[in-house]
Amino acid sequence: TVGAAQIKNDLISGTTALASEPADTDEFLVSDAGTLKRIDYSLIKGGGITEADQWRMTSSFQGSATTITANWERNDTSFDKIGTGMTESSGIFSFPSTGIYKIEFVFNAGINGNDRAWRGDIERTVNNSDYAAIATGYAFIQATESDSTYNSTYTCGIFDVTNTTNDKVRFKIDAMNSNTYCQGSSTANITFATFTRLGDT
């Protein structure tokens, strides 16, 4: 009779328990149409979120910005990141890996007056040069008292990133009234962007 004592521990015997999630190179036995084969855990483990990152604008600016080029920081108040995270340079955001990404943009306006068409865009490039909007949000502000009035807008887009060198995003603000402020803060998310990798390309 062959029992657990006669089976070497490099075989599946159940003599030792694995007390944590398997490593990517840990192997399982599967029957592939009747043929016994081994498979790495990396090929069968659940997907989950492998990349999530959040950046915010740390100070306010007035008027329009073809690209919000300055004063970006990663959320360092309540969150760091999952995975490698995005890379930012002069307002251009690069992706850490290929995949399907959800990009969310929240932008807040304030003015002591009226602005009937305040707009924010998520723009993407697939050649590291030419940009086009993949999502747009509009807001209007109407003064109700003799003081500043505020409004908040949300927009969201999905981007299939197939090349991390050429595929990038940036954020744009277009104010009809040049006196309108795009609001920022270094301690809370007021104008900010969230990046979440949903899955493989």
Side-chain angles (χ1 to χ4, degrees):
T1 301
V2 177
Q6 286 77 40
I7 298 177
K8 298 175 64 177
N9 62 9
D10 59 353
L11 299 176
I12 297 177
S13 65
T15 58
T16 303
L18 183 64
S20 61
E21 182 180 1
D24 282 351
T25 54
D26 286 350
E27 296 176 332
F28 295 81
L29 287 179
V30 297
S31 176
D32 181 13
T35 301
L36 199 61
K37 297 181 179 179
R38 67 181 186 273
I39 185 170
D40 282 356
Y41 176 64
S42 62
L43 299 175
I44 60 173
K45 66 180 181 179
I49 294 176
T50 59
E51 291 287 347
D53 203 359
Q54 193 171 70
W55 290 70
R56 63 186 172 212
M57 201 178 69
T58 59
S59 60
S60 304
F61 69 87
Q62 197 171 22
S64 300
T66 302
T67 305
I68 304 176
T69 59
N71 301 316
W72 286 104
E73 72 168 9
R74 177 173 281 122
N75 179 354
D76 58 2
T77 304
S78 59
F79 177 71
D80 180 18
K81 63 183 181 298
I82 297 173
T84 303
M86 301 292 290
T87 302
E88 183 268 335
S89 177
S90 298
I92 306 299
F93 287 84
S94 301
F95 296 87
S97 60
T98 60
I100 308 295
Y101 284 81
K102 181 180 182 181
I103 305 160
E104 300 169 275
F105 185 32
V106 175
F107 41 107
N108 281 268
I111 184 176
N112 186 356
N114 302 313
D115 192 334
R116 67 183 182 88
W118 194 70
R119 167 180 171 173
D121 292 335
I122 302 172
E123 296 188 327
R124 68 99 172 95
T125 178
V126 295
N127 62 8
N128 198 24
S129 177
D130 302 311
Y131 283 83
I134 60 171
T136 298
Y138 286 94
F140 77 92
I141 305 173
Q142 182 174 346
T144 56
E145 296 182 10
S146 57
D147 202 350
S148 294
T149 307
Y150 300 91
N151 205 339
S152 177
T153 306
Y154 169 89
T155 191
C156 173
I158 302 291
F159 188 9
D160 184 359
V161 177
T162 61
N163 185 307
T164 57
T165 300
N166 293 326
D167 297 349
K168 300 177 181 181
V169 295
R170 67 186 187 185
F171 301 93
K172 173 183 177 181
I173 294 294
D174 188 10
M176 179 167 284
N177 188 330
S178 61
N179 292 318
T180 303
Y181 280 91
C182 183
Q183 304 291 320
S185 170
S186 62
T187 58
N189 291 342
I190 298 180
T191 295
F192 62 99
T194 304
F195 306 85
T196 308
R197 187 180 185 275
L198 302 178
D200 296 335
T201 180

